[in-house]
Amino acid sequence: MTPPRRTQVGIIGAGPAGLLLSHLLHLRGIDSVVLERRSRDHVERRIRAGVLEQGTVDTLVAAGVGDRLTREGLVHHGIELRYGGTGHRVPFERLVPGRAITVYGQQEVVKDLIAARLAAGGDIRFEVGDVAVHDAATDAPYLTFDGQRLDCDVIAGCDGFHGVSRASVPEGELTVYERDYPFAWLGVLARVEPSAEELIYAWNERGFALHSMRSPEISRFYLQVPAGEDVADWPNERIWAELRARLETVPGFTLTTGEIVEKGVTPMRSFVAEPMRHGNLFLAGDAAHIVPPTGAKGLNLAVADVRVLTEALAHRYATGSGDLLDAYSETCLRRVWRAQHFSWWMTTLLHTFETDDAYARRLQVSHLDYVTSSEAAATTLAENYVGLPYERDLPEPTEQ
């Protein structure tokens, strides 16, 4: 093994959580090393979420990585709930003034963060193997990978649901809460102009559908399909036919079709592991929690976790106090469980369940009627969708 290197924060995973944490720490004079098992090309190309909350946008802009986001992101001031042959707009500009969402692909956020870290001399190591966490419960944790050792003050596990970080916590140290849904999402990326200016969430007895977009030239669609569905059973012609059946339910609306460039099936899952800390190992993002994508919360929760961890680490290095680190899990979990509930609520509101009978379907329509006719109910949806305010502001960056 080569001689060990030392850093203040060892970060596992070069997704949005790990990269943003590394960059925010850099702005506060805190050193980090990011370890990623995939190649840079793979990380920058994988398609994930594309709806950014107001707080996520504000965080990226304040961190100096929002130039392209501000220039190319699509700002939306509402969404449409479509059911029963009618579209009902939820107007953010009236219900939650000054707050909106921005459509900007997760892979674009990753590209911006990688470029910023490398430009600042950041240490990101791609295609590393055999990453392992050691002595996390002590004051001298370290990571090993590819015959090398990295000594750290703190380890941040930002390596997703299937990563090594959470698996490194001894059995019995975590309490897991989870739910698997009896359906999945068939996601489609198409080289076609969006057929609407804002996202459309469509309830239909055939199943849920979502019309989204990535740019003025690229559209993103989702179809509710059975859990475990094989994407090979969905040729392009069938996809377009089903999207038309579920979305062309409002007079005058025509779905624009064209070239499909990517498609895949995503399972629907709710998952939380508590606490989000084991000694000096801190879990963030999908390593600690998963939400069904209906509420558009996954990436945004990761950013919220990273903000809390950044503040706690900056406080520790500035004052020597571990109070905020001790509160990390509890602080994050308050937002995590709110997002869990909202995501579950949106999922059960808009999807069909095989066990539903006529009574359950009528209740679902009644609930949709209430959300689209009550100012209070619509405001609850809007304020959760655009993102709740953060509990604390980030500390000011130190001079670099």
Side-chain angles (χ1 to χ4, degrees), residues 62-349:
V65 291
D67 289 350
R68 199 160 64 93
L69 162 62
T70 303
R71 186 171 64 251
E72 299 178 12
L74 306 177
V75 180
H76 289 190
H77 297 280
I79 59 172
E80 179 184 323
L81 300 181
R82 181 173 293 188
Y83 68 99
T86 305
H88 305 264
R89 185 172 184 268
V90 180
F92 301 156
E93 72 273 12
R94 180 169 58 81
L95 300 172
V96 282
R99 297 161 68 193
I101 58 144
T102 299
V103 176
Y104 188 69
Q106 175 173 310
Q107 74 276 16
E108 305 304 326
V109 174
V110 166
K111 290 175 187 176
D112 296 341
L113 286 167
I114 289 175
R117 292 304 303 120
L118 295 180
D123 191 344
I124 309 174
R125 305 190 188 186
F126 295 101
E127 299 183 80
V128 302
D130 301 322
V131 176
V133 177
H134 304 271
D135 294 347
T138 75
D139 291 331
Y142 66 96
L143 298 168
T144 56
F145 60 97
D146 294 337
Q148 301 181 57
R149 172 170 168 157
L150 181 66
D151 291 324
C152 321
D153 297 330
V154 164
I155 297 170
C158 305
D159 51 342
F161 185 76
H162 299 288
V164 302
S165 297
R166 191 179 69 253
S168 300
V169 179
E171 186 175 354
E173 295 282 328
L174 296 176
T175 300
V176 169
Y177 304 87
E178 57 187 326
R179 171 168 296 177
D180 291 321
Y181 294 85
F183 42 74
W185 273 14
L186 171 62
V188 175
L189 198 68
R191 203 180 307 280
V192 295
E193 180 181 347
S195 303
E197 294 183 356
E198 296 176 335
L199 278 72
I200 301 171
Y201 286 77
W203 178 89
N204 190 291
E205 291 197 359
R206 300 175 67 96
F208 167 79
L210 172 60
H211 177 298
S212 184
M213 60 286 292
R214 286 294 178 268
S215 73
E217 298 81 29
I218 301 292
S219 295
R220 184 74 162 155
F221 303 97
Y222 297 97
L223 285 168
Q224 176 187 348
V225 297
E229 191 82 338
D230 188 345
V231 71
D233 293 332
W234 285 86
N236 295 353
E237 296 77 11
R238 183 186 179 191
I239 290 173
W240 288 123
E242 195 61 32
L243 283 168
R244 283 194 294 267
R246 299 187 195 186
L247 289 169
E248 288 184 346
T249 58
V250 173
F253 178 84
T254 301
L255 183 68
T256 303
T257 63
E259 178 191 6
I260 292 178
V261 297
E262 181 178 294
K263 53 186 172 182
V265 174
T266 302
M268 302 283 279
R269 175 189 292 118
S270 297
F271 176 92
V272 181
E274 297 185 10
M276 291 170 57
R277 176 186 185 179
H278 170 66
N280 278 306
L281 169 64
F282 295 82
L283 304 178
D286 287 359
H289 42 73
I290 296 285
V291 288
T294 326
K297 289 287 165 266
L299 169 61
N300 297 294
L301 277 181
V303 170
D305 292 346
V306 164
R307 285 177 56 101
V308 175
L309 188 53
T310 297
E311 181 183 7
L313 287 168
H315 180 71
R316 171 180 166 177
Y317 284 116
T319 68
S321 170
D323 290 352
L324 295 186
L325 285 175
D326 292 341
Y328 168 75
S329 182
E330 181 183 355
T331 302
C332 290
L333 286 169
R334 283 196 291 271
R335 179 179 289 266
V336 166
W337 278 109
R338 175 86 297 277
Q340 286 284 338
H341 181 266
F342 177 67
S343 300
W344 166 86
W345 179 80
M346 286 282 284
T347 301
T348 55
L349 178 68

